[in-house]
Amino acid sequence: MSLTRRGLGGAVLAGGALAAAGPKAWALNAPAGGKTAYGDFGIDLTAIDPSIAPGDDFYRYTNNGWLKTAAIPADRSAYSGSMRETTETRTRAIMENASANGTANGRKITDYYRAWADEAGLERRGLAPLKPELARVAAVATPADLARSLALLSWGDLSNPNGASRPDAAPIVAGVSVDVKQPTRYVPSLSQGGISLPDRDYYLVDAPANVATRQAFKGHVARLFQLAGYDDPEGRAARVYALEEKIAKGWWSREQSRQAEKRYNPHSRAELAALAPGLDWDAYLGAAGIDGQAVYIVAQPSSIAASASLARDVAIGDWRDYLAFRAIRNFAPCGPKAFREADFEFNGKVLQGVQKAPEQWKTAVAQTDRALGQAVGEIYLARHFPPSSRAQVTEMTRNLKTAMGERIKSNSWMTPATKARALAKLANLRVEVGGQSPPRDYTKLEVKPGEAFENLLRAQAFAHARSTGRLGRPVDRSEWSMNPQTINAQSNSTLVKVMFPAGFLQPPNFDPYADAAVNYGAIGRVIGHEISHQFDDQGSKYDETGALNNWWAPADLERFKAATAALARQYDGYEPLPGLHINGRLTLGENIGDLAGLGISLDAYHASLGGKPAPVLAGLTGDQRFFLSFAQTHRSLQRENALRQQLISDPHSPNEWRAAEVRNMDAWYTEFGVKPGQKMYLAPDARVRVW
Ligand SMILES: [Zn+2]
């Protein structure tokens, strides 16, 4: 059925009166006694603006009521509803009281959290916790000392499960990862890092915004040196910046670094020394805990070589400043108030455009999440993720997998041999809901009351030891890098699995009481997105065992590339900020995921109806609700600096343009009566079809 814009607008306005009373027939597996977060069946009808034609601007048609009234909280760089606040409040309650459960993990959680949240305690301890770190850095005198300090920087940041992390602290980042050519074993790896701004472009592209950010960064470095009691803070800041700029010049671009086969460069110990002379590799690998290995996988050889030569060519005094700055910035978020303010002024205000520093308890929540997140998550799952929700989402994941299988089988351009491999991969794909099981073991992490910074250093060392301890062991496919309370979802190519944490499975992403069309338009399309990552421009390079191994017939690969190139061009055409377009190549994998996810989720929704017609609710067809739900889960507000940073460095397109994928869906045209001449209209042969 197809409605004109007027017809739909009228139906929506009448929605309240038309909604059926009594049992919610559409929420079949929901626990009794609850209700949807939005309206009768899970869609925020108050946000729809009938004065805007869906075919001109579907995002604003669907969301304008919300966009006009919502505001970004002063301490945030973006806002897309209350999901994050809900999770923050829940995890805070867990962290404040976990010690009461009498377990070792419970005590660690509460001690870690309280030390970070106790502003008076942070003030009282002053610079004392930082002093040993600065003394260690000040003693760096020889090439071997420098190499050891650079290796330790590899664990100078705990990964942030809640979002994009800044570049790694070390110019050469030592790590341990699954061998992508032999995914049953772990291998040591070396990759680029060592700059403070979000990407090399900030140093190398002279756009006015970048020049301003550089100036602010130098001021920030000088301010931290001054607070830590150093003389000549401006001179030191200039030297730190100059060194980072040299490192940035050696960096690979984000698009280059996305190419998995280019990142796979095995080197023996001797080949490593020949590739990258200038660094004392014995000292470096020893301190990194990865010496004596048969092979090292070098991600960006020219970048690693450039940084190694800087270790030799840049004066050791400049390196001491560089290392001191890294030690101080590691300390700043749990230092006295002046440090925390300086940290926020740059990392929050300048880089993200945030107006007000978050209250310290929010920082404490985020930091405890990084250090002990899976222990927190065990409690989160027990309190906030009922078995009924797990069952509902698991059933959807099964339906989405089936729908993807049907798409592969009915695909018109794939040869039978490639199809068989694709189906084998799909059969081996693990789908995990909730969180890692069993959760991470924190026995060896020591946490002491009142020692925020020392606990952070211990957590960083624990993460380091956990990572290097995997060398020589079989690969554990059950591992997650996200926590159960994380608001995100992931696909892992080498482990051949997709993961949906409980924190993500809350309204509007998933609502146990919502109508099926609404859940398929929301969480369903995310499940489809993650599944399709296994088959996108990068994921398609990994076979059914997770090995980086081309399994495509050449002709199939060409057709796949041609289809996806059209999508890259479509996104290159969008210009979210004046002069700054979306990078269609950088965002290609995510955009393929969005398009494929939307398509297979609509299929899965149709299949879930079991041959019966979809109910019409408040005058809306099932497919209309599906698309409205899809666009509503993308509503968000973002500060300009954060948007600029996203456009330069993030493989995800900004939300408004992610929602524009509907332009490629035939069903969207019929359901909303979209006609030639409307702004979002694409002729049928210009609509991109990947699967
Ligand atoms: Zn994705």
Side-chain angles (χ1 to χ4, degrees):
M1 142 176 198
S2 130
L3 284 173
T4 63
R5 177 176 67 81
R6 282 280 157 244
L8 184 68
V12 166
L13 293 175
L18 289 177
K24 306 275 190 276
W26 53 82
L28 291 177
N29 299 312
K35 62 182 188 61
T36 56
Y38 299 100
D40 271 323
F41 46 88
I43 287 184
D44 180 4
L45 297 177
T46 65
I48 293 175
D49 186 342
S51 74
I52 297 170
D56 279 337
D57 187 344
F58 192 59
Y59 178 75
R60 282 186 183 69
Y61 164 74
T62 310
N63 295 311
N64 214 28
W66 184 86
L67 292 168
K68 283 196 295 202
T69 53
I72 306 175
D75 66 349
R76 299 268 307 273
S77 64
Y79 183 68
S80 53
S82 59
M83 199 158 42
R84 183 163 142 184
E85 280 70 20
T86 302
T87 303
E88 245 170 6
T89 306
R90 287 171 170 178
T91 49
R92 178 191 195 179
I94 290 169
M95 290 168 185
E96 282 180 339
N97 302 309
S99 60
N101 73 12
T103 65
N105 274 353
R107 184 191 57 73
K108 287 177 190 179
I109 291 167
T110 301
D111 284 348
Y112 201 99
Y113 170 82
R114 282 188 188 153
W116 274 81
D118 175 14
E119 292 183 80
L122 300 179
E123 209 60 39
R124 205 166 45 238
R125 299 195 71 211
L127 267 174
L130 176 62
K131 290 264 169 70
E133 282 289 283
L134 296 182
R136 181 177 64 74
V137 167
V140 169
T142 67
D145 294 341
L146 174 61
R148 277 190 289 272
S149 286
L150 292 178
L152 291 179
L153 274 184
S154 290
W155 285 271
D157 281 315
L158 287 178
S159 71
N160 178 7
N162 297 312
S165 299
R166 59 188 178 188
D168 287 279
I172 298 173
V173 185
V176 170
S177 51
V178 177
D179 183 346
V180 297
K181 292 271 188 179
Q182 228 184 103
T184 51
R185 67 170 193 175
Y186 293 107
V187 281
S189 60
L190 299 163
S191 57
Q192 69 186 15
I195 58 178
S196 299
L197 300 178
D199 190 76
R200 66 169 198 169
D201 284 5
Y202 282 79
Y203 299 82
L204 307 180
V205 178
D206 290 331
N210 292 352
V211 173
T213 303
R214 286 175 214 160
Q215 278 314 111
F217 174 59
K218 289 177 203 167
H220 166 67
V221 180
R223 173 78 178 135
L224 284 188
F225 273 120
Q226 184 207 359
L227 287 172
Y230 283 76
D231 64 0
D232 188 23
E234 276 81 21
R236 290 176 199 272
R239 290 192 288 276
V240 169
Y241 181 80
L243 182 41
E244 290 204 4
E245 189 186 68
K246 289 190 178 108
I247 294 168
K249 281 184 179 149
W251 259 47
W252 283 21
S253 72
R254 299 257 169 193
E255 295 102 292
Q256 283 175 303
S257 279
R258 272 194 86 231
Q259 309 294 321
E261 66 284 356
K262 295 212 177 97
R263 278 201 316 269
Y264 192 82
N265 305 288
H267 285 69
S268 68
R269 173 68 186 75
E271 287 164 347
L272 193 56
L275 166 78
L279 182 71
D280 183 336
W281 282 102
D282 284 335
Y284 177 91
L285 296 173
I290 55 171
D291 52 343
Q293 300 292 311
V295 66
Y296 296 88
I297 308 301
V298 181
Q300 301 96 354
S302 60
S303 175
I304 302 310
S307 283
S309 70
L310 291 174
R312 179 192 57 213
D313 298 340
V314 171
I316 194 90
D318 291 8
W319 277 113
R320 275 195 295 266
D321 285 333
Y322 178 91
L323 293 167
F325 167 62
R326 272 159 170 66
I328 303 166
R329 78 167 195 174
N330 197 27
F331 168 73
C334 61
K337 191 167 201 299
F339 281 82
R340 301 200 305 273
E341 282 175 353
D343 182 56
F344 169 74
E345 281 296 317
F346 182 71
N347 290 305
K349 209 177 249 181
V350 175
L351 285 186
Q352 299 282 333
V354 180
Q355 292 160 356
K356 176 175 153 281
E359 292 170 78
Q360 189 61 16
W361 72 263
K362 292 188 180 180
T363 304
V365 164
Q367 292 291 338
T368 309
D369 235 14
R370 288 181 173 204
L372 283 150
Q374 292 204 12
V376 175
E378 277 189 86
I379 304 171
Y380 184 96
L381 284 169
R383 286 194 195 165
H384 302 294
F385 195 57
S388 55
S389 287
R390 184 186 290 276
Q392 268 183 292
V393 175
T394 302
E395 187 191 325
M396 290 179 75
T397 66
R398 273 198 294 270
N399 293 343
L400 263 295
K401 252 182 108 165
T402 304
M404 183 70 193
E406 293 303 321
R407 287 264 172 147
I408 293 168
K409 284 181 210 159
S410 65
N411 181 298
S412 60
W413 50 263
M414 249 186 177
T415 53
T418 309
K419 271 188 191 181
R421 294 295 295 273
L423 290 168
K425 180 166 181 175
L426 189 66
N428 196 32
L429 177 69
R430 279 165 70 143
V431 182
E432 295 179 354
V433 174
Q436 178 182 313
S437 176
R440 188 169 297 165
D441 179 358
Y442 291 99
T443 309
K444 289 189 175 147
L445 172 59
E446 190 186 10
V447 177
K448 292 186 184 170
E451 295 194 354
F453 186 56
E454 294 90 335
N455 287 338
L456 171 65
L457 294 176
R458 283 188 283 263
Q460 288 168 342
F462 171 78
H464 173 176
R466 195 180 66 78
S467 187
T468 54
R470 301 187 300 177
L471 284 170
R473 296 216 190 125
V475 165
D476 178 3
R477 256 185 104 186
S478 73
E479 270 202 353
W480 283 46
S481 59
M482 295 178 293
N483 299 322
Q485 64 276 23
T486 301
I487 304 174
N488 202 351
Q490 256 179 17
S491 168
N492 186 311
S493 300
T494 44
L495 299 180
V496 201
K497 70 170 181 176
V498 291
M499 293 153 277
F500 305 94
F504 194 78
L505 302 171
Q506 54 175 311
N509 290 337
F510 166 70
D511 187 332
Y513 301 99
D515 147 58
V518 174
N519 274 332
Y520 277 96
I523 190 63
R525 70 94 199 162
V526 179
I527 297 167
H529 170 106
E530 299 303 337
I531 290 176
S532 88
H533 268 322
Q534 297 281 337
F535 303 90
D536 71 12
D537 67 321
Q538 298 304 313
S540 62
K541 296 172 177 173
Y542 298 81
D543 69 16
E544 68 271 22
T545 69
L548 184 63
N549 170 29
N550 182 24
W551 47 277
W552 290 61
D556 291 343
L557 198 54
E558 281 315 305
R559 281 187 283 254
F560 181 71
K561 281 185 177 161
T564 57
L567 193 61
R569 279 195 301 277
Q570 194 176 94
Y571 274 79
D572 277 336
Y574 296 135
E575 188 180 357
L577 285 173
L580 198 52
H581 285 249
I582 292 178
N583 180 337
R585 283 281 149 202
L586 177 63
T587 57
L588 183 58
E590 294 302 329
N591 297 334
I592 293 172
D594 282 342
L595 177 55
L598 193 59
I600 64 174
S601 192
L602 186 60
D603 291 353
Y605 167 57
H606 291 158
S608 78
L609 294 169
K612 298 195 193 81
V616 173
L617 302 174
L620 296 168
T621 68
D623 284 11
Q624 286 172 339
R625 297 194 299 280
F626 174 91
F627 286 115
L628 290 171
S629 170
F630 167 73
Q632 287 203 335
T633 57
H634 283 91
R635 65 194 190 183
S636 69
L637 301 169
Q638 192 175 24
R639 297 192 195 280
E640 185 177 322
N641 289 13
L643 176 59
R644 181 178 305 279
Q645 180 175 339
Q646 175 170 11
L647 288 166
I648 292 174
S649 64
D650 196 318
H652 299 87
S653 302
N655 272 3
E656 179 179 341
W657 290 272
R658 294 184 76 169
E661 291 278 16
V662 294
R663 302 175 76 196
N664 298 305
M665 298 282 293
D666 294 339
W668 175 72
Y669 288 80
T670 49
E671 290 296 323
F672 293 92
V674 179
K675 297 282 182 301
Q678 293 191 302
K679 291 192 184 104
M680 293 183 74
Y681 180 85
L682 287 174
D685 61 358
R687 297 171 200 164
V688 178
R689 288 171 185 80
V690 176
W691 289 103

